[in-house]
Amino acid sequence: MRKNKKIEKFLKEILEDLSDLKAENVVKIDIKNRSALGDYIIIASGTSSRHINAIASKIIKKNKNNIISIEGLKSTEWVIVDFGDIILNLFKPEIRNYYSLEKIWENGVEDEKINFA
């Protein structure tokens, strides 16, 4: 149970950071009972490659001790930051629409769209 609270706290911190960094269309998908990949997938968009790079860089710098791997930082069309229990996906909107990760993870379960307003 202690691990779950730690994961939930870390998840909340990442979501708050995404809000502070003006990430758009943030979706949190609970995959605990659907996959061994982790507990949560977060999908968010940036307005440009530069915005995605800024979001990723700040989250990476803040959480460097928790990162398992990072992919896509050079192109910044799609950046994945794997924290083990949480996988963060940052996309340019057109790339996000192309890959439609939300649809891949659809399973009759309502995923939580995060509103920062």
Side-chain angles (χ1 to χ4, degrees):
M1 200 62 154
R2 180 176 239 172
K3 181 183 176 193
N4 289 343
K5 287 187 180 198
K6 185 177 178 183
I7 294 167
E8 295 294 328
K9 181 180 180 213
F10 187 46
L11 176 67
K12 184 178 177 192
E13 289 173 11
I14 292 172
L15 293 172
E16 287 171 357
D17 290 342
L18 289 170
S19 174
D20 293 344
L21 295 165
K22 308 292 189 232
E24 299 179 344
N25 301 317
V26 178
V27 176
K28 173 186 77 173
I29 303 172
D30 184 334
I31 62 168
K32 282 190 288 283
N33 298 320
R34 296 192 249 178
S35 174
L37 288 175
D39 289 351
Y40 295 98
I41 292 178
I42 301 171
I43 302 170
S45 296
T47 56
S48 65
S49 292
R50 181 177 239 164
H51 186 212
I52 292 168
N53 190 302
I55 294 169
S57 295
K58 288 182 181 175
I59 289 177
I60 289 165
K61 185 176 180 180
K62 180 178 176 186
N63 300 292
K64 62 185 172 192
N65 294 331
N66 297 319
I67 296 172
I68 293 174
S69 68
I70 303 165
E71 295 294 329
L73 200 54
K74 289 183 181 179
S75 74
T76 60
E77 300 267 318
W78 178 6
V79 176
I80 299 173
V81 184
D82 185 351
F83 296 104
D85 296 309
I86 300 169
I87 302 166
L88 173 62
N89 294 268
L90 301 168
F91 291 96
K92 286 176 68 176
E94 60 274 15
I95 303 299
R96 182 175 180 171
N97 287 336
Y98 179 79
Y99 286 104
S100 300
L101 285 187
E102 292 95 331
K103 287 185 181 182
I104 292 171
W105 286 101
E106 262 181 9
N107 194 20
V109 177
E110 185 65 30
D111 298 318
E112 185 177 347
K113 291 177 177 54
I114 311 297
N115 293 317
F116 295 131

